[in-house]
Amino acid sequence: MKGNSDQDSRNAHENYDFNPNESYHEAIYSESWKRYRSEEYFEYRRQWDEVPRDKVQLDFPIHLDIETTNICNLKCPMCPRTIMVAEGVPDYVNPSRMSREDYANIIDQGAMHGLKSVKLNYLSEPLAHKDVIWQVEYAKKSGIVDVMMNTNAALLKREVSEGLLRAGLDNLFVSIDAVSPDMFEERRPGTTLGRVMDNLHGFIKLRNKSYPHVQVRVSMIMYNDPVWMEQFEGLKTTWKGLVDAVGYGFYTERAADLRGEYPEQPGFWCAQPFQRMFLKNNGNVTICCVDDKDEVVVGDWRTEKLHSIWNSPRYRTIRQLHADGKYYQMALCRKCYLPHSE
């Protein structure tokens, strides 16, 4: 649905510079998709910025990250999931997909409390779930303003693209870690660069024809070596004029025996505990994107109400620690790279 706000109103909604955990760099080519977003979308994005900036304790999160399956079709060496599979961690070794009943229950609870956005993955591949199109459709029909997913696009065949677009998907974020075929296959074993490019290009053509509100971004993981910046420049050349943005985030060590603590960053507080909640496929509810090993579990979405988890004394204490500038008292936060991202 096309927004009815004028350009000045849209600009006003976007003039918020709070970003205490910046870790992503991108080149933006087009924001034409914003012309087709509703006023409610811009209000939710305003809240996304203002809530953590002002350290507001909301009654319910703005956003839920929902790990609908623990399955992935690739074995990317930099992914925590790949490491845990190799270590035999049951939560990722044994294939599991969220049931329609469980998913609907999560979305229904969120809709009841004014949930604005969802992302349908955490460490795994959302397109590996046979119900992914239904999941997008159910969320949109329930009033969720912004439905998104990260994907490796290897399973993004034409019929899947058509289904996702018809269902109402708002944002597609695709990981393409190189433009060189051999480097890509090293980083993304299990597929080929050609397959991913064909799938994404097919999605973009369908988007351009009938679904101009959908944002498409391509991203890669960056390493401290000039060769990877060259790959990024190639990625920009390849996709400029096709996608809306191309970006990168630096690789962060996740292996337990190699991951140490960072020095305290005075004045830092994290946005995530104020904005969002992570629902893992194993039932655990965690507080941030860095916690792939479930070090800070605040509840179980299978047995507890989401509103109760979000408002639990432990969760509120975590938010208060960040609000008071005491994030470093948390062991998980001491191991987090976000305070030192540039």
Side-chain angles (χ1 to χ4, degrees):
M1 177 173 129
K2 187 172 181 178
N4 57 11
S5 59
D6 58 23
Q7 186 64 46
D8 289 340
S9 178
R10 283 196 296 270
N11 289 342
H13 288 148
E14 295 160 17
N15 288 333
Y16 294 90
D17 57 6
F18 174 76
N19 203 356
N21 57 357
E22 175 60 47
S23 61
Y24 186 75
H25 308 264
E26 66 179 2
I28 297 174
Y29 300 126
S30 173
E31 294 188 320
S32 62
W33 54 271
K34 289 185 177 180
R35 297 200 302 264
Y36 302 91
R37 297 297 177 97
S38 67
E39 184 67 18
E40 188 178 8
Y41 169 81
F42 291 104
E43 172 61 23
Y44 128 71
R45 294 309 299 177
R46 180 194 63 77
Q47 188 182 36
W48 182 264
D49 289 335
E50 286 193 348
V51 164
R53 187 191 68 189
D54 298 336
K55 305 171 185 176
V56 177
Q57 291 253 17
L58 293 174
D59 186 59
F60 198 80
I62 302 168
H63 172 89
L64 293 178
D65 293 83
I66 307 172
E67 190 175 43
T68 59
T69 179
N70 66 356
I71 299 168
C72 187
N73 53 314
L74 304 186
K75 297 181 180 179
C76 306
M78 66 290 193
C79 178
R81 181 189 177 280
T82 302
I83 296 171
M84 287 189 280
V85 169
E87 294 174 346
V89 177
D91 287 339
Y92 288 96
V93 170
N94 304 316
S96 175
R97 293 181 175 90
M98 186 177 289
S99 69
R100 287 195 175 194
E101 180 182 10
D102 282 341
Y103 178 83
N105 184 39
I106 289 169
I107 296 298
D108 291 348
Q109 289 185 61
M112 182 188 307
H113 293 287
L115 179 69
K116 300 302 181 184
S117 69
V118 296
K119 183 186 287 184
L120 302 183
N121 58 281
Y122 179 61
L123 294 182
S124 302
E125 172 54 51
L127 301 185
H129 200 305
K130 60 183 176 60
D131 289 334
V132 64
I133 293 170
W134 174 86
Q135 290 165 350
V136 172
E137 181 179 36
Y138 191 90
K140 293 304 296 183
K141 288 184 175 179
S142 299
I144 305 303
V145 175
D146 205 8
V147 178
M148 65 192 83
M149 66 177 65
N150 294 330
T151 176
N152 58 50
L155 301 176
L156 192 65
K157 298 178 181 179
R158 181 180 177 86
E159 60 270 23
V160 176
S161 294
E162 290 175 337
L164 291 172
L165 288 165
R166 284 197 306 268
L169 185 70
D170 296 293
N171 300 285
L172 186 77
F173 308 136
V174 180
S175 301
I176 303 180
D177 282 326
V179 291
S180 171
D182 56 341
M183 294 178 73
F184 177 88
E185 291 183 26
E186 177 187 309
R187 296 289 88 193
R188 297 274 164 182
T191 189
T192 65
L193 179 60
R195 178 183 301 145
V196 169
M197 291 181 69
D198 285 347
N199 287 348
L200 178 55
H201 191 222
F203 182 93
I204 291 167
K205 288 191 290 186
L206 291 169
R207 184 276 302 262
N208 291 349
K209 183 178 180 180
S210 303
Y211 303 92
H213 75 283
V214 179
Q215 179 190 189
V216 180
R217 285 198 334 230
V218 167
S219 65
M220 66 174 286
I221 294 176
M222 182 60 65
Y223 302 87
N224 189 22
D225 187 318
V227 69
W228 290 104
M229 188 54 72
E230 291 176 2
Q231 292 296 304
F232 179 65
E233 293 301 320
L235 203 65
K236 291 197 294 183
T237 300
T238 301
W239 293 102
K240 184 178 181 180
L242 293 172
V243 301
D244 300 302
V246 175
Y248 67 85
F250 275 97
Y251 171 73
T252 301
E253 181 60 63
R254 297 293 184 93
D257 56 339
L258 298 176
R259 183 179 171 197
E261 294 186 355
Y262 291 83
E264 185 174 4
Q265 184 70 23
F268 172 83
W269 72 96
C270 185
Q272 294 191 44
F274 297 93
Q275 298 164 321
R276 61 204 295 192
M277 191 158 62
F278 292 77
L279 278 57
K280 305 291 187 66
N281 186 258
N282 61 9
N284 289 343
V285 178
T286 58
I287 65 170
C288 77
C289 63
V290 176
D291 194 7
D292 47 79
K293 292 181 173 57
D294 293 5
E295 296 180 49
V296 180
V297 177
V298 290
D300 187 332
W301 59 261
R302 297 169 301 185
T303 59
E304 301 172 71
K305 294 294 186 183
L306 300 181
H307 183 268
S308 297
I309 295 172
W310 178 258
N311 288 286
S312 67
R314 187 180 188 195
Y315 216 149
R316 295 185 70 85
T317 297
I318 290 169
R319 288 193 286 272
Q320 195 61 51
L321 283 173
H322 280 267
D324 293 341
K326 299 177 181 178
Y327 82 94
Y328 209 68
Q329 291 185 14
M330 296 185 61
L332 175 66
C333 297
R334 292 196 295 272
K335 294 181 286 187
C336 181
Y337 60 91
L338 292 178
H340 298 272
S341 298
E342 296 181 355

